[in-house]
Amino acid sequence: MPVEFLGIAATNDGSETTPRSSNGAFDKDYTLRLARAHEEHGWDRVLFAYGSGAPEPSAAAAYLASKLDRLQILLAHRPNVSYPTFAAKTFATLDQISDGRLTVHFITGGTDHEQQREGDYLTKDQRYSRTREYIQIVKKAWTSRSAFDHDGEHYHFADFVSDVFPVQQPRPNVSFGGSSPAAYAAGGAEADIFCLWGEPLAETAQQIESVKQAAKDAGRTDVPRIQVAFRPIIAPTEELAWEKAHRTVDRIEARKANGPLSRRHSLTSPENTGSQRLLAVAERGERFDRALWTPTAKATGGAGNSNALVGTPETVAQALLDYYDLGVDILSARGYDLLDDAIDFGRYVIPIVREEVAKRDRAGAA
């Protein structure tokens, strides 16, 4: 099966190891430079993430889509920030601007405090219920050429029909992530792509089975594609890679000493199941399988995509192929020096993985 690579569409050069430069939260030149580096070095798409105080991602994505011809866009969206009919029009317009290069990643929200910053006071279970209803409405708005009414638990409207539709037919793909039973249920029912954070192979295999079972329980005959995310730390030799890994954690700790890394996430007691799982893995040990390394996750409180893959490009590529062999066909990667690491990963890791996947495909066909 084909393999795809997802990078990050950061709007500034800051990371857990490096404060951003003085150009502000939305540095247009850097945003474009980073995206071009991805497009020119073999990546398939980039993620525009969402934060309550961050630059608005759909506007940033539209800017990027108008500048680049091939790179695809994964747009993160929280259902609490707009009505689903409005969002459906926004997404359809962006799919037109990008000539059909859009996938939408729906975020339920794992932290109450972060959600409340934009007026969302629903409980986590209520948020999952709302997200499922929201996705269903967006899908219908994308595909219905006649007016329809909706009377649901969270949304009520009458006689809506959009006058703008996506380039992609019947609709763009829907992406979803999470590690709780509620997340498996919602994503298993509605997602085309289900996103996981990098855990050891055994735990990842269990999560994939949970997603498949949730899809079956929802009455689907297909299953979502699986995406897994990592923080690659690569160098020409194993020794240099591990030295770089330890320097990376030292830099994270140094940044923490000067203030919080994020206003969105607790370093010690995260609310979301995904971060709790990453910290639980880190408590069991630092190294797993071929190259998975947990101190980066521990240092950041399991914030988001935070487990590393450490080694030479060949080692990291083989580790990614271990996940591919589990059924993961979208590999998400983001370094700590966003620009240089995107270039290095594209030059030295992606070609190895693509070549090995092609060999597997040829062997399977034979």
Side-chain angles (χ1 to χ4, degrees):
M1 60 182 177
V3 63
E4 296 181 8
F5 288 90
L6 169 70
I8 190 69
T11 58
N12 61 74
D13 58 359
S15 75
E16 297 94 329
T17 62
T18 309
R20 75 185 185 211
S21 65
S22 59
N23 293 329
F26 184 35
D27 180 340
K28 289 195 302 181
D29 292 339
Y30 183 83
T31 300
L32 183 56
R33 186 181 175 196
L34 179 62
R36 280 184 172 146
H38 282 85
E39 185 171 75
E40 292 169 359
H41 290 89
W43 299 78
D44 296 287
R45 61 170 57 87
V46 288
L47 166 67
F48 279 91
Y50 191 94
S52 60
E56 202 287 304
S58 65
Y63 165 74
L64 200 67
S66 69
K67 300 290 186 180
L68 300 178
D69 297 324
R70 299 187 308 277
L71 195 65
Q72 298 176 54
I73 292 165
L74 178 60
L75 177 70
H77 179 78
R78 288 184 186 166
N80 60 294
V81 299
S82 70
Y83 210 73
T85 50
F86 175 83
K89 294 185 296 180
T90 300
F91 304 146
T93 304
L94 182 52
D95 201 52
Q96 293 279 349
I97 292 170
S98 67
D99 295 320
R101 287 179 281 147
L102 177 69
T103 298
V104 182
H105 180 67
F106 290 92
I107 301 175
T108 297
T111 304
D112 290 346
H113 188 200
E114 168 68 3
Q115 295 299 121
Q116 290 165 9
R117 287 188 171 118
E118 294 189 286
D120 183 10
Y121 286 84
L122 296 186
T123 66
K124 191 172 182 181
D125 286 345
Q126 290 172 328
R127 294 200 297 267
Y128 273 111
S129 171
R130 176 183 61 191
T131 299
R132 290 184 69 167
E133 185 177 342
Y134 195 99
I135 293 172
Q136 290 165 359
I137 292 168
V138 168
K139 287 178 177 177
K140 191 166 185 178
W142 278 341
T143 57
S144 178
R145 264 56 178 179
S146 57
F148 64 96
D149 304 336
H150 182 83
D151 186 16
E153 179 182 358
H154 301 279
Y155 301 103
H156 309 270
F157 57 86
D159 201 39
F160 176 80
V161 63
S162 180
D163 196 31
V164 56
F165 294 96
V167 171
Q168 298 175 82
Q169 292 297 312
R171 59 173 178 79
N173 281 331
V174 165
S175 171
F176 191 88
S179 297
S180 67
Y184 299 145
E190 299 296 339
D192 303 295
I193 299 167
F194 197 98
C195 307
L196 303 170
W197 290 333
E199 295 187 15
L201 291 165
E203 283 81 353
T204 301
Q206 292 169 359
Q207 290 202 81
I208 291 172
E209 289 306 311
S210 295
V211 173
K212 289 180 177 178
Q213 185 61 51
K216 182 178 179 181
D217 293 344
R220 292 178 60 170
T221 57
D222 63 337
V223 295
R225 299 172 65 194
I226 302 296
Q227 172 185 304
V228 178
F230 303 96
R231 306 301 291 272
I233 300 175
I234 62 172
T237 68
E238 296 291 331
E239 181 180 7
L240 290 173
W242 285 106
E243 289 176 1
K244 182 178 178 181
H246 289 289
R247 285 199 309 273
T248 297
V249 172
D250 289 344
R251 292 172 67 192
I252 293 172
E253 295 294 347
R255 281 215 65 196
K256 285 164 56 179
N258 293 322
L261 294 176
S262 171
R263 297 180 66 245
R264 290 185 274 166
H265 185 85
S266 169
L267 294 178
T268 56
S269 55
E271 296 176 31
N272 59 305
T273 303
S275 293
Q276 293 168 8
R277 288 176 63 101
L278 294 188
L279 292 181
V281 171
E283 286 300 313
R284 286 166 40 205
E286 291 191 355
R287 295 178 66 170
F288 293 85
D289 304 319
R290 193 187 300 266
L292 190 73
W293 196 56
T294 65
T296 47
K298 187 174 183 178
T300 58
N305 169 21
S306 52
N307 268 341
L309 292 176
V310 181
T312 64
E314 293 79 9
T315 296
V316 171
Q318 291 300 324
L320 292 169
L321 287 161
D322 291 338
Y323 288 89
Y324 175 84
D325 291 338
L326 289 181
V328 177
D329 66 341
I330 303 175
L331 299 169
S332 174
R334 171 166 56 100
Y336 291 93
D337 183 331
L338 299 178
L339 180 61
D340 288 345
D341 287 347
I343 293 170
D344 286 346
F345 188 88
R347 281 178 175 167
Y348 303 119
V349 178
I350 289 178
I352 297 174
V353 176
R354 291 201 193 279
E355 181 179 354
E356 290 298 320
V357 166
K359 289 180 181 178
R360 284 162 166 76
D361 289 345
R362 289 194 296 269

